[in-house]
Amino acid sequence: MKVDSHTHSKFSADGREEIDLMVENAKAEGAEYIAITDHCDMDTLQEGNVVPVPWSQLDLDAYFADFNRVKAKTEGIYLAFGIEAGFDKRANKLYEELIAKWPFDVVINSVHFVDGYDAYFPYYFENKTKETTYTRYLETVYDSLFATYQFDIVGHIGYCVRNAPYKDNVIHYADNSELIDRIFKKIIELDKALEVNLHNGMVPNIELLRRYFELGGRKISFGSDAHRGDVLKDYDETSKVLKLIGFTHFSIFKKRIEERVEI
Ligand SMILES: [Zn+2]
Ligand SMILES: [Zn+2]
């Protein structure tokens, strides 16, 4: 059973695609579950966070109305209503209120901002060493696990590598083993799903996924992080890699209840 738990529609500031078409594409790929998880970025509203590109906030009323329009006519696939929450501990209260108010199927908690900068963009790396940028990113991921709002999935650990200017931009386990273990142990203790994200290569990388498995981590979710309708991207290759590590199931969420489907 193919599933995709992380996708963006035109309601995300950086998304383009109609929900209708995303659902069609997912069905054409043979998927039985697709979650729309548009960006909800209370992090960008926090003082001192430097937003690098023009950014609009998610219009949840418009998003929910359009989601329901598509949901009503959709058959043969479960269409899930979700958000990707951009973590900033100062936004805890805002997310608590918002998540209580809307009937989400799934909430992904993702770190984008680290020390005032979005770790996707080159300005985050200016005048800092790889050791500093990656360690601070991972420390912020650890902090995000203590978010006071309900979330189901820990989003894209490794986000900072996407545009990192280093010859060797890999997050090596050996460089931050204590911190990485602390993150994975906490995810396991909290019983959250660790996302395998395919936006630009696989994150977490295979070395980190192996370590998560070694520590007892079994809950993972698949996320194409598609912004252009390319849902289920790299699904078959990724599934093979995950099975070789030992993973057998993906977690999906319906009305915040977890189900596990065979990879
Ligand atoms: Zn993200
Ligand atoms: Zn995303």
Side-chain angles (χ1 to χ4, degrees):
M1 178 170 166
K2 293 187 181 183
V3 298
D4 192 343
S5 295
H6 187 160
T7 71
H8 297 277
S9 79
K10 66 175 184 181
F11 292 99
S12 285
D14 58 353
R16 297 270 182 285
E17 209 49 80
E18 296 286 343
I19 297 173
D20 309 63
L21 193 96
M22 295 168 72
V23 171
E24 284 317 306
N25 289 353
K27 284 170 85 168
E29 291 290 330
E32 291 175 47
Y33 173 95
I34 180 172
I36 314 293
T37 52
D38 279 316
H39 283 294
C40 191
D41 293 314
M42 302 295 184
D43 50 353
T44 61
L45 304 174
Q46 304 308 309
E47 201 184 328
N49 284 351
V50 183
V51 183
V53 289
W55 200 254
S56 58
Q57 289 298 316
L58 177 61
D59 181 344
L60 261 159
D61 290 303
Y63 167 37
F64 189 50
D66 199 51
F67 174 88
N68 281 327
R69 178 187 63 77
V70 180
K71 178 103 176 165
K73 63 172 186 175
T74 295
E75 285 174 3
I77 185 168
Y78 187 95
L79 176 58
F81 179 55
I83 49 166
E84 178 180 10
F87 171 77
D88 185 310
K89 66 181 173 203
R90 294 168 295 177
N92 270 331
K93 268 269 161 312
L94 290 170
Y95 282 125
E96 277 177 35
E97 286 161 18
L98 185 134
I99 289 167
K101 198 175 144 197
W102 294 90
F104 295 120
D105 287 294
V106 58
V107 174
I108 302 173
N109 197 33
S110 291
V111 168
H112 299 128
F113 274 85
V114 180
D115 299 333
Y117 301 96
D118 187 324
Y120 178 77
F121 291 90
Y123 75 152
Y124 173 61
F125 302 93
E126 278 169 25
N127 306 315
K128 292 183 206 128
T129 62
K130 177 181 173 185
E131 191 189 345
T132 301
T133 54
Y134 280 26
T135 303
R136 283 299 301 139
Y137 166 75
L138 289 168
E139 283 171 348
T140 310
V141 169
Y142 184 70
D143 290 345
S144 77
L145 304 177
F146 296 86
T148 57
Y149 46 90
Q150 276 195 323
F151 61 95
D152 310 296
I153 294 173
V154 181
H156 56 50
I157 295 183
Y159 174 77
C160 64
V161 308
R162 288 178 179 176
N163 285 307
Y166 313 116
K167 205 180 279 173
D168 171 17
N169 70 351
V170 174
I171 297 181
H172 295 290
Y173 174 70
D175 293 343
N176 264 307
S177 52
E178 182 277 327
L179 182 51
I180 290 165
D181 279 3
R182 191 147 42 90
I183 290 168
F184 286 160
K185 284 177 184 169
K186 194 72 199 173
I187 292 171
I188 294 163
E189 182 196 321
L190 292 170
D191 206 26
K192 306 291 185 189
L194 173 71
E195 176 181 77
V196 180
N197 183 294
L198 277 301
H199 183 270
N200 185 8
M202 184 175 76
V203 304
N205 64 40
I206 191 161
E207 191 185 345
L208 300 191
L209 286 168
R210 279 209 184 97
R211 182 60 183 159
Y212 175 67
F213 188 86
E214 227 170 65
L215 290 170
R218 294 295 180 271
K219 281 195 182 190
I220 51 172
S221 70
F222 179 89
S224 67
D225 209 351
H227 285 71
R228 303 283 181 276
D230 48 337
V231 298
L232 279 300
K233 182 177 173 312
D234 300 331
Y235 187 91
D236 294 335
E237 302 88 315
T238 306
S239 297
K240 271 184 212 150
V241 170
L242 294 172
K243 279 193 220 171
L244 281 175
I245 296 173
F247 293 107
T248 56
H249 291 77
F250 284 128
S251 296
I252 57 172
F253 296 86
K254 298 176 180 175
K255 305 280 173 219
R256 315 300 306 275
I257 309 280
E258 188 201 16
E259 288 180 21
R260 302 180 91 181
V261 299
E262 254 182 67
I263 295 175

